[in-house]
Amino acid sequence: MSQCISLILILLIFPFKVFSVTPADSLLTVLKTEIAGKERYDKKAEYKISKLRKAYQLSKKLDRVQEYKAAVALYEIFRDYQFDSTYLYARKLMQLSIAMHDKKKLAENRLRLGTTLITAGMFKETFDCLRETNPRLLDSTVKKSYYILYSWAYSDLAKYNDDKIYAPDDLRKKYLYLDSAISLCEPGTFEHAILEAQQQPKHGRNPSYYFLNLFKRKLSSHEEAMVVTGLSKYRRGQEKIRLLATAAINDLQTSTYRALALLNLGTALYEQGQIDEAYFFLQQALQQANKFGGRMQRYQVTHMLSTVAAVRDRLAAEERHLFLIYFSCIAGFAIIVTLLCFIVFIQLKKVRAAEQIIRETNRVLAGKNQQLWEAGRIKEEYIGYFFSELSRYIAKLDKLKINAQRKAKSGSVDELLRLLDQVDIPSERHEFFATFDRIFLKLFPDFVNSVNSMFGEEDRIRPKSTGALNAQLRIFALMRLGINKNEMIASILQYTVNTVYTYRFRAKSKALVTADDFEQQIMSIELASNEE
């Protein structure tokens, strides 16, 4: 324990010098100690966040300028800490920019939103933000961020495509935008140097040259993590492990949850055959990804963790198998021939029982994985839909508010009433139901047929048009999504609770199966397979 504390103190005082001389195993020990005590760093971050939130609430009582500054501070502190809150304040900053009628700030905050979205792998939305941003409104400092975001987006898109058709063009655009960003940086600055290190490798100069030059500077913990992570791409073996362990330690000390140092460390350990260590650090990377909440980061970690877990399980099975062989050999020399058949029979019986347990466990796990996959797909479809609808309604409400205020100020009461008459609630509800039907039937294309299979021919439910549901089918659809309370269903569909109850009661009474089996069969209707 005292050795670990000493190593931590050395790392805090001489971080770069340590990684070049400290054995990789020692750094991994320090990293594990830091992981065990990471709550103390998070408490500091949460304390700062709490103060900024109080300042933000106070600023809302003052003026929009103060509120804007407070929102920027919250965006910055959440940027590497938590995706949802970063997204929330990026949207808030855009709303404030609109309210302040400041086109320049609106353009800047579109870049903030795009920078947030790219961390979740939302390429389309990121490019939408970039296309909607007018670069002529940006000063040189912000325009540099505009080019960096374009370069970042194309870089991640190239990794995602990973083919010979689209990826080369994505990389070409990445380097073009990167060159534009570098041209706007002040020579000699850290930013200029770190961007140069990411340029397309030049003939006769290894990219690691730029990273090594950066170590001549006085770096912050976050900057050092960036540099050692970049340099690790050009190193192998124990040096790569030391670099990534150093980056991961710095990420923990700065409560940086958006970083991928732990993921890269776990991957490097896996490639070097250190399976147990790789599995441990990838589990920590998954906790880090869950804490940040970025979809792309969580996917990358989960994909790698499942690969390592499979290898780990296979090696464990091989070890158990070798142990059984060894035990059988020793027993064969120790036990008389007349008892050998009996022992073999007992061992085989145990193996069959173990295999049965494994098969049963795998069956249960497969069911759980299927449920998680279904829940994930349903949430992905509907969360995306509700975010889109919420954004649309906010924009529509804002437009209505502005027009209503204008009419009210001018004293045009008749025009104000006509404006309010244009709010077509039945039409909006109809559109809501139509979109709900479309997304649900995309997830459960055989839903109507599956429901009708539980009724006789005369009692089957026939929607008015293909690709749509009627009132009764929507109730069953919500039940399939896990919403089972009559009050909740009635609230969503704008029915009375008695109406929902009556529909369900009638359906169960007419069904060819029992009431309990009816709801179980509704829940067992299968989700469409993911073809992507």
Side-chain angles (χ1 to χ4, degrees):
M1 183 64 184
S2 59
Q3 182 182 8
C4 290
I5 294 173
S6 300
L7 281 168
I8 292 171
L9 291 172
I10 295 171
L11 274 169
L12 291 172
I13 300 171
F14 307 107
F16 167 62
K17 296 177 181 176
V18 168
F19 89 79
S20 61
V21 297
T22 305
D25 290 344
S26 297
L27 275 176
L28 293 180
T29 301
V30 173
L31 176 55
K32 289 178 181 178
T33 303
E34 289 291 86
I35 288 171
K38 63 184 177 182
E39 288 79 8
R40 66 182 184 275
Y41 300 118
D42 287 351
K43 284 181 180 178
K44 292 179 181 178
E46 291 291 344
Y47 176 73
K48 292 179 183 177
I49 289 169
S50 177
K51 288 181 65 178
L52 288 173
R53 277 181 167 153
K54 290 178 182 177
Y56 175 71
Q57 292 301 323
L58 182 62
S59 71
K60 292 169 73 174
K61 300 176 182 178
L62 301 175
D63 55 53
R64 284 204 176 103
V65 174
Q66 297 303 318
E67 183 180 357
Y68 183 87
K69 290 180 180 178
V72 169
L74 280 166
Y75 168 85
E76 291 296 333
I77 199 168
F78 276 119
R79 187 172 56 180
D80 294 323
Y81 190 67
Q82 195 172 76
F83 172 81
D84 288 344
S85 296
T86 309
Y87 177 84
L88 173 69
Y89 286 105
R91 296 289 304 179
K92 182 63 180 175
L93 285 167
M94 288 185 65
Q95 292 169 8
L96 286 170
S97 301
I98 293 170
M100 295 164 71
H101 305 291
D102 192 325
K103 293 183 179 180
K104 182 179 178 182
K105 279 186 170 59
L106 180 59
E108 293 174 0
N109 289 313
R110 279 203 178 97
L111 292 182
R112 285 191 173 101
L113 181 60
T115 303
T116 303
L117 294 171
I118 194 62
T119 62
M122 300 171 74
F123 300 112
K124 177 186 178 300
E125 293 79 0
T126 300
F127 283 115
D128 285 345
C129 286
L130 285 164
R131 280 190 288 269
E132 291 170 7
T133 302
N134 184 356
R136 287 176 295 185
L137 296 173
L138 307 175
D139 57 32
S140 60
T141 303
V142 182
K143 188 177 289 187
K144 174 179 56 185
S145 301
Y146 171 80
Y147 291 131
I148 289 172
L149 180 56
Y150 252 124
S151 177
W152 182 359
Y154 277 115
S155 176
D156 281 5
L157 189 58
K159 294 174 187 176
Y160 179 80
N161 288 328
D162 193 21
D163 61 5
K164 295 181 180 180
I165 300 174
Y166 298 104
D169 189 55
D170 293 333
L171 287 173
R172 181 185 65 81
K173 292 176 181 176
K174 165 197 170 180
Y175 291 123
L176 284 174
Y177 281 110
L178 186 60
D179 289 341
S180 298
I182 292 171
S183 69
L184 294 173
C185 290
E186 184 180 347
T189 61
F190 174 83
E191 187 175 36
H192 186 275
I194 197 72
L195 290 178
E196 273 194 322
Q198 298 171 59
Q199 282 181 304
Q200 192 168 11
K202 297 179 180 178
H203 180 69
R205 176 164 289 184
N206 192 305
S208 60
Y209 163 84
Y210 296 99
F211 289 110
L212 290 171
N213 271 345
L214 282 166
F215 282 119
K216 298 175 183 178
R217 300 169 174 270
K218 184 177 180 180
L219 303 174
S220 68
S221 296
H222 187 60
E223 289 172 344
E224 182 184 292
M226 292 170 62
V227 174
V228 294
T229 300
L231 183 59
S232 69
K233 298 176 183 177
Y234 307 99
R235 294 293 185 263
R236 297 289 180 270
Q238 292 299 295
E239 185 179 359
K240 185 181 185 76
I241 300 301
R242 287 195 294 270
L243 287 165
L244 289 171
T246 302
I249 290 169
N250 285 334
D251 288 339
L252 287 168
Q253 292 174 349
T254 56
S255 293
T256 301
Y257 282 91
R258 183 168 63 89
L260 297 177
L262 279 172
L263 168 60
N264 294 336
L265 175 60
T267 303
L269 288 166
Y270 167 71
E271 291 170 350
Q272 294 182 29
Q274 300 183 53
I275 305 301
D276 288 336
E277 291 281 48
Y279 184 75
F280 171 79
F281 287 115
L282 285 171
Q283 283 183 312
Q284 301 306 313
L286 182 59
Q287 291 183 21
Q288 192 179 63
N290 288 333
K291 172 79 173 179
F292 180 68
R295 185 172 60 188
M296 177 62 77
Q297 182 180 353
R298 191 184 296 118
Y299 168 78
Q300 291 173 319
V301 176
T302 303
H303 177 74
M304 192 64 208
L305 182 59
S306 62
T307 300
V308 174
V311 173
R312 185 170 177 264
D313 291 344
R314 177 175 59 79
L315 292 175
E318 289 176 356
E319 287 180 2
R320 288 194 298 270
H321 185 64
L322 288 173
F323 175 78
L324 287 173
I325 293 175
Y326 177 77
F327 178 79
S328 298
C329 291
I330 297 299
F333 288 104
I335 302 174
I336 60 176
V337 176
T338 54
L339 297 177
L340 184 60
C341 292
F342 175 75
I343 293 172
V344 171
F345 171 77
I346 295 298
Q347 293 301 319
L348 287 175
K349 187 175 180 180
K350 290 181 179 179
V351 170
R352 289 192 186 98
E355 288 176 348
Q356 180 60 34
I357 293 171
I358 292 171
R359 282 195 295 270
E360 182 63 21
T361 302
N362 287 338
R363 184 187 66 78
V364 173
L365 287 174
K368 295 294 184 184
N369 286 336
Q370 178 66 19
Q371 291 175 5
L372 289 172
W373 175 77
E374 288 185 2
R377 276 205 65 197
I378 291 170
K379 287 178 180 178
E380 183 178 352
E381 293 287 345
Y382 277 103
I383 286 174
Y385 158 63
F386 281 113
F387 265 98
S388 175
E389 285 299 291
L390 180 59
S391 177
R392 185 174 73 85
Y393 280 123
I394 288 172
K396 192 168 184 178
L397 184 60
D398 186 54
K399 182 178 180 181
L400 179 62
K401 176 187 174 184
I402 292 170
N403 288 336
Q405 285 176 335
R406 188 180 299 119
K407 302 298 182 185
K409 288 178 180 179
S410 64
S412 303
V413 177
D414 292 337
E415 291 184 16
L416 177 59
L417 292 174
R418 281 195 297 273
L419 177 65
L420 294 175
D421 286 340
Q422 292 174 8
V423 180
D424 190 354
I425 298 301
S427 175
E428 293 290 339
R429 185 177 294 115
H430 176 77
E431 184 178 346
F432 169 76
F433 287 155
T435 308
F436 174 87
D437 295 350
R438 175 175 56 78
I439 296 175
F440 183 84
L441 290 175
K442 176 184 175 184
L443 294 169
F444 301 91
D446 295 328
F447 183 77
V448 177
N449 292 334
S450 298
V451 171
N452 279 329
S453 68
M454 292 186 280
F455 295 99
E457 183 63 29
E458 68 281 6
D459 294 322
R460 291 185 175 179
I461 305 167
R462 294 175 175 82
K464 292 181 179 179
S465 59
T466 304
L469 303 173
N470 60 16
Q472 193 168 8
L473 287 171
R474 288 193 190 102
I475 292 172
F476 300 151
L478 288 171
M479 290 167 59
R480 178 59 184 88
L481 294 177
I483 301 171
N484 204 41
K485 291 185 178 180
N486 290 339
E487 294 81 0
M488 183 68 75
I489 295 172
S491 176
I492 293 171
L493 299 180
Q494 295 295 297
Y495 301 152
T496 65
V497 175
N498 286 336
T499 300
V500 175
Y501 175 81
T502 302
Y503 272 127
R504 294 178 69 169
F505 178 80
R506 287 178 180 173
K508 291 178 183 179
S509 63
K510 293 179 180 179
L512 301 176
V513 297
T514 64
D516 290 338
D517 288 340
F518 179 82
E519 295 202 1
Q520 288 180 5
Q521 289 195 34
I522 289 287
M523 293 303 295
S524 66
I525 294 174
E526 293 184 354
L527 191 71
S529 60
N530 193 346
E531 298 176 353
E532 294 180 354

